[in-house]
Structures are given as C-alpha cells and as structure tokens.
Amino acid sequence: MRDTFHHAAIAQKAIGVVVDDVMAFANFSTGYKSGGYNSGGGAPALTPPVSRRLFDRETVKNYELGIKSSWLDRALKVNLTAYRMDIAGFQDRAFD
C-alpha cells in the first residue's frame, strides 16, 4: 500500500468514413480512483490494525469499437457498438 498516488488519464479516439453513410470508430481511455483509508463505523481511522482500513487505487482501461450507418436513402439507421472495461483494484462500497 502506498501513501501517495499519482496517475495521468488518457483518451484516444479514431473516427473514419468507410463508405458513404457508414462510419466506423474506436475509442480507448483510462480512468483512476485513488486509494486511501476508510474511517467507517465511527471508529478512528488509524486504530490498529491499520492495514484493514487502507485500500489501494483503482484503475480502468476502456475500449470501444463501433459502426454507425444509414440505409435505404437514410430511412433505416443501424448502429453497433462493443464495449470492454478492464478494472484493476475494484473499489466497492460496503456498509456494516
């Protein structure tokens, strides 16, 4: 467990026209939530054992691919998108 946390978030996007009325896109980004300590239940946050109250950072990598298209003289629109998130150190909220 570290006592300081540093992170730079990034975002990259690519958009391209495949043919008339069809556009493809891709997106990649990262997210971050710092670690810390939990004081929970009214007890002092740093009472022994301190290690049970500390939590590490959460990071996420987001991926997105998709297509937007128009058909039949723009009378029909079809949009497809796929998402994926890779989360490390997931921070869940829990209550006693």
Side-chain angles (χ1 to χ4, degrees):
M1 175 73 190
R2 300 181 321 202
D3 58 357
T4 61
F5 298 92
H6 304 282
H7 182 79
I10 62 171
Q12 299 291 322
K13 185 176 282 194
I15 300 173
V17 176
V18 179
V19 293
D20 287 344
D21 298 328
V22 178
M23 178 188 73
F25 61 92
N27 186 37
F28 172 76
S29 61
T30 62
Y32 174 81
K33 205 188 291 185
S34 70
Y37 66 91
N38 181 6
S39 62
L46 299 176
T47 55
V50 174
S51 61
R52 281 197 251 169
R53 298 203 178 271
L54 299 176
F55 58 93
D56 208 359
R57 67 183 178 178
E58 174 183 320
T59 59
V60 63
K61 293 180 182 175
N62 301 297
Y63 305 90
E64 178 183 7
L65 293 171
I67 293 176
K68 294 185 176 191
S69 61
S70 297
W71 304 90
L72 305 172
D73 200 25
R74 297 188 180 178
L76 174 66
K77 291 188 179 193
V78 178
N79 301 325
L80 300 170
T81 304
Y83 299 94
R84 178 181 172 91
M85 295 175 68
D86 293 331
I87 301 172
F90 180 69
Q91 297 176 9
D92 192 14
R93 294 181 186 213
F95 300 97
D96 292 335

